[in-house]
Amino acid sequence: MAAILAVVIGMEMETTADEVREISEAPTANTAEQTQPSTQLSVADGLYLLVVLAAALMRLTGLGQIPLAPIEAQEALSAWQFLQAGPNLFDAGSPAFLTPTSLLMPFFGVSDVTARLVPALFGIGLVMLPWLLRNRLGQIGALVTAALFAVSPLYSAISRTAGGDAIALFAILLLTIASLRLRDGGSDGWLYTLAGAMGLGLASSPLFYSG
């Protein structure tokens, strides 16, 4: 009898130990599952990517079909003369445009396309920026805002014009986003982003001052 009781008690203790082990392991497993980052793209992410691709096509296609306007030609000439040993006949209206454009010319050649490439890239970047505000606008709001930026004839024309206006628009929106993220308790990285956007805007064009 004593042997039977000992066996029963031993079995109950083992069962209790197993139950305690299962209960203690269950929250850990659930926590591990919850902490695993999601790598799947949502439908909104896919639609946003399509909007960015559409904006890229609108801004990069046929950049050299229309000759440079006189103001564009002056900006492009300043960028070209920046690489030469002689004196610069024109003052650079936009250092933020002159520097990257002059660096691209040795690789892509001196052409109307190269003169308009930097503004086009910043125009595409402008369409991408609203995604950083999806915590305020929501995914649909950010998507609609980006789509409006992408199809806007005004923003598209500015992005296809040699000069610093497209850079100024990008800097204004980035400065606004960094300010809002800092107000929402964002990390110190947004403070550096704000400072960088301010410096970029000051070197872009007078449009940055007037908004």
Side-chain angles (χ1 to χ4, degrees):
M1 187 66 178
I4 296 175
L5 289 175
V7 172
V8 172
I9 293 173
M11 293 177 62
E12 290 181 353
M13 292 180 62
E14 291 179 358
T15 303
T16 304
D18 293 340
E19 292 176 353
V20 172
R21 191 181 301 109
E22 291 177 358
I23 293 173
S24 62
E25 291 178 354
T28 306
N30 293 334
T31 304
E33 292 177 358
Q34 293 176 358
T35 56
Q36 288 180 354
S38 177
T39 57
Q40 295 181 353
L41 294 177
S42 64
V43 175
D45 295 331
L47 293 176
Y48 204 94
L49 181 59
L50 291 178
V51 170
V52 173
L53 291 177
L57 288 176
M58 294 179 62
R59 285 153 178 76
L60 295 176
T61 303
L63 279 178
Q65 289 183 352
I66 301 177
L68 295 177
I71 297 179
E72 292 182 280
Q74 179 176 334
E75 292 283 355
L77 182 60
S78 297
W80 176 78
Q81 289 180 338
F82 184 74
L83 297 175
Q84 311 304 313
N88 194 338
L89 301 179
F90 298 97
D91 294 331
S94 173
F97 166 80
L98 180 145
T99 303
T101 301
S102 62
L103 294 176
L104 290 176
M105 284 182 174
F107 300 97
F108 297 98
V110 181
S111 65
D112 295 351
V113 175
T114 307
R116 291 170 173 155
L117 183 57
V118 170
L121 295 177
F122 274 96
I124 298 171
L126 180 70
V127 177
M128 300 171 64
L129 285 180
W131 198 240
L132 298 176
L133 282 178
R134 62 187 182 276
N135 60 329
R136 279 177 167 262
L137 302 176
Q139 290 187 345
I140 297 179
L143 181 61
V144 171
T145 303
L148 293 175
F149 284 164
V151 302
S152 170
L154 177 61
Y155 290 156
S156 181
I158 292 176
S159 300
R160 295 171 60 87
T161 302
D165 288 345
I167 304 174
L169 291 176
F170 177 88
I172 290 172
L173 184 55
L174 182 59
L175 182 66
T176 303
I177 292 173
S179 301
L180 293 175
R181 295 300 293 265
L182 281 174
R183 184 177 180 182
D184 293 340
S187 63
D188 293 339
W190 288 108
L191 180 61
Y192 301 122
T193 302
L194 187 147
M198 178 65 72
L200 180 66
L202 293 175
S204 59
S205 78
L207 181 61
F208 178 77
Y209 304 94
S210 62

